[in-house]
Amino acid sequence: MKRISLRAGLALGLGMALLPAAGVSSFAPAAFAQSAPASAVSAPIQTLYAALDKVQKSSASFADRVQIVGPAVDQAYDLDAVLKASIGVRYQSLSPDDKQKLLSAFRDFTIARYISSFKPGAGARFTITPKIEDSPIGGNKIVNTFIGSDDSQPGTPVSYVMHNGASGWRITDVLLAESRISQAAAQRSDFSSTLSSGGVSGLINVLERKVKTFSQG
């Protein structure tokens, strides 16, 4: 039986501590049931999880899976906000052109990471809890989910910080495990170190190498 590589899939940072891998199972659509007020907040996550379930059940090529997961990532994430938080104060000093180039590479990395982690046959089970939490940051919400298996319930906790902007509710951070480790905060030192040593082109090169590795896995 195949096992899903949650450690690679959920560790957005390039060098942060990784989570234990969860098991596999069939997808559980009933877990997506939400109350009406919560549905708009959790809808982007439902879209993302549905796309991940679809690629797990397919035998499509990596490029074809990009076409499935890519639009779901665009709908679910505010990638610009995630990238900004991941880079920190240095982000403000980047040129518009550098910001756009980094965002494109970061998007490709995010999509490839998910595809590599949720491979065909992985069969992870996604569960979204119905209760939406208020975030300590004003106006934001937290959606709690689990990724696990029938024999490993409830699975690995994965929570999403949601912000309501011009495009509706979008993910601006992912909180991992019971301790709710912020991906953006955890990877900030990695991004900062790479930017200091290699500049924007250095960070783009690192992200592109990661994409290449994911595409071959």
Side-chain angles (χ1 to χ4, degrees):
M1 180 178 292
K2 297 181 180 178
R3 294 178 66 83
I4 179 173
S5 179
L6 285 178
R7 294 191 300 173
L10 300 178
L12 202 75
L14 303 181
M16 63 178 287
L18 300 177
L19 295 176
V24 299
S25 77
S26 58
F27 181 64
F32 285 166
Q34 302 288 331
S35 61
S39 61
V41 184
S42 62
I45 303 168
Q46 295 177 5
T47 298
L48 176 63
Y49 282 173
L52 297 179
D53 180 60
K54 184 175 181 178
V55 296
Q56 290 182 132
K57 294 178 178 177
S58 77
S59 57
S61 67
F62 181 87
D64 287 340
R65 282 177 278 154
V66 167
Q67 298 305 311
I68 296 172
V69 176
V73 166
D74 291 336
Q75 291 180 51
Y77 276 91
D78 183 342
L79 285 176
D80 188 55
V82 177
L83 179 62
K84 181 178 180 179
S86 299
I87 291 176
V89 294
R90 187 188 295 262
Y91 182 86
Q92 300 299 337
S93 65
L94 300 178
S95 70
D97 185 54
D98 281 344
K99 289 177 181 177
Q100 189 57 47
K101 289 177 179 176
L102 269 176
L103 182 61
S104 178
F106 186 64
R107 176 183 182 271
D108 291 344
F109 166 69
T110 302
I111 295 167
R113 177 205 65 206
Y114 273 122
I115 293 172
S116 175
S117 301
F118 298 92
K119 294 181 174 68
R125 174 171 178 164
F126 305 92
T127 304
I128 299 175
T129 62
K131 184 178 180 181
I132 306 297
E133 296 182 26
D134 291 326
S135 169
I137 300 176
N140 288 350
K141 301 292 184 181
I142 296 176
V143 177
N144 297 307
T145 80
F146 295 91
I147 304 177
S149 64
D150 286 333
D151 58 0
S152 179
Q153 288 294 309
T156 301
V158 182
S159 299
Y160 298 89
V161 179
M162 309 297 295
H163 178 74
N164 192 16
S167 300
W169 290 98
R170 293 292 185 272
I171 300 167
T172 57
D173 199 2
V174 183
L175 309 178
L176 304 174
E178 290 83 356
S179 55
R180 289 189 166 183
I181 302 168
S182 163
Q183 283 186 331
Q187 72 186 1
R188 196 172 299 140
S189 61
D190 296 318
F191 278 41
S192 178
S193 175
T194 303
L195 283 170
S196 295
S197 62
V200 170
S201 61
L203 180 53
I204 290 174
N205 287 339
V206 169
L207 293 172
E208 288 178 343
R209 288 199 300 270
K210 289 285 185 178
V211 170
K212 184 177 181 179
T213 299
F214 290 145
S215 68
Q216 296 172 348

